[in-house]
Amino acid sequence: MKKLLAILVAALPAMAQLPEYYKTVDRVIWVVGDAGRVTEAWDKTGLLKVVKRTDVNAKMEFRGRPTAAKARMVSGWLGDLRVDWIQPDGTQGAFAEFLKKRGDGAFAILHRTPGMEAFNQEIERLRGLGVALLQRGNNAGAEYAYFDTAPEGRFVLGLICGGEDSGAAPQEHKINQIAFAAHDFEPISAYWQKLGFPRMAITHAGLHDVKYRGQPVDIQQDMGWYRFGKVPYEWILPVKGPNIFDDHMRTRGEGLQHLGHPVPDMDRAIAEWGQAGYSVTQSGAWGEAGKKGSGRFAYIDTEKIGGMALELLWNFRE
């Protein structure tokens, strides 16, 4: 039996070879109840550059059955991350299902295939690994596929092929992290590893001077990392103390929780967000202050404009 298991484990990487295009994120699909309100609020923060607003009336296949759905879509750049905000109109399809179950929030991460052959090959590769299609369709010349990965992987994996070129990403602001909250890393890591992704690297965060909603707290949390692509994925597992990650999971469930945004001056950035009407929900530091490898973080309560927090990040530079 041990010999058989060793053979199966050795064969797994070949069975689940990960295509190169997974190393880049084409866009994040963000489902909201009011796309106009949410994107207007983000626009006022100075981080959003809207590219296009459209009304979508599309035919699709949802959970293996033909259907049609209407939606309002706002496409743009949040920093240098391409985002499509989707406001579903009705009860049909994956977007409406997500909104009803979880409320506003990031729904899927899409990766761009180099052509339709690669697009279809990946659908078949994942199908062979037991991953079903959640939804597939075409919008404005772009073919897309969403996979039913959220139950075990905690977010929807998606592909896109074709469509209009949205131009170059703005250079002024950056999104340097896509982050998730979870209760247990091991089953999530095992699931994505089965699909060809690398094993999640797990560390324990050494944080200090932490405040939760303005009050000093003693917290502990484990961190999971996927650094195989250009934008790191950070997973957070709260271990001790009150924290915004447990808050998020109680109301919206596990999955996408915040985006990381580097700033040159933390105190100034916090003050500017405060003047704009946003507060810090959790903050703190890591490392030894004033030394290489140290830094500060502050989470801004942008969940009230779309269900995703924004983490300001400052790293010490000698």
Side-chain angles (χ1 to χ4, degrees), residues 106-109 111 147-158 180 191-192 197 233 235 254-256:
F107 164 75
I109 298 175
H111 304 271
F147 297 95
D148 197 13
T149 54
E152 294 183 78
R154 302 300 185 264
F155 72 93
V156 171
L157 179 70
F180 311 76
Y191 177 75
W192 289 110
F197 290 82
Y233 292 4
W235 293 76
E254 297 174 274
L256 287 146

Side-chain angles (χ1 to χ4, degrees), residues 108-237:
I109 298 175
L110 264 60
H111 304 271
R112 180 170 293 276
T113 69
M116 281 305 299
E117 182 178 1
F119 183 92
N120 290 321
Q121 284 177 348
E122 182 61 2
I123 291 175
E124 291 306 312
R125 185 186 77 88
L126 291 175
R127 181 179 287 128
L129 293 169
V131 182
L133 268 177
L134 175 63
Q135 183 165 295
R136 179 175 180 174
N138 186 290
N139 177 38
E143 191 80 13
Y144 64 85
Y146 298 105
F147 297 95
D148 197 13
T149 54
E152 294 183 78
R154 302 300 185 264
F155 72 93
V156 171
L157 179 70
L159 302 177
I160 186 169
C161 182
E164 297 179 0
D165 185 355
S166 58
Q171 298 300 310
E172 184 178 358
H173 300 290
K174 298 289 183 183
I175 298 296
N176 67 349
Q177 186 181 98
I178 298 174
F180 311 76
H183 292 304
D184 188 350
F185 289 157
E186 288 300 330
I188 297 171
S189 178
Y191 177 75
W192 289 110
Q193 194 174 11
K194 181 185 75 171
L195 304 189
F197 290 82
R199 181 173 177 79
M200 186 186 295
I202 299 174
T203 62
H204 184 77
L207 306 177
H208 58 86
D209 299 326
V210 179
K211 290 184 178 180
Y212 166 73
R213 304 192 186 279
Q215 298 299 315
V217 291
D218 176 20
I219 70 167
Q220 294 182 27
Q221 62 189 43
D222 290 334
M223 315 284 286
W225 298 96
Y226 283 120
R227 291 191 173 97
F228 61 91
K230 292 184 178 180
V231 180
Y233 292 4
E234 176 192 69
W235 293 76
I236 297 176
L237 190 159

Side-chain angles (χ1 to χ4, degrees), residues 27 52 54-59 73 75 82 84 112 137-144 160-165:
R27 68 192 65 194
K52 185 171 62 172
T54 56
D55 288 326
V56 178
N57 187 357
K59 294 181 180 180
M73 183 168 74
S75 301
R82 175 66 189 269
D84 289 343
R112 180 170 293 276
N138 186 290
N139 177 38
E143 191 80 13
Y144 64 85
I160 186 169
C161 182
E164 297 179 0
D165 185 355

Side-chain angles (χ1 to χ4, degrees), residues 25-43:
V25 171
D26 183 81
R27 68 192 65 194
V28 168
I29 303 298
W30 195 324
V31 176
V32 293
D34 188 336
R37 180 188 69 83
V38 169
T39 54
E40 285 170 12
W42 275 105
D43 187 43

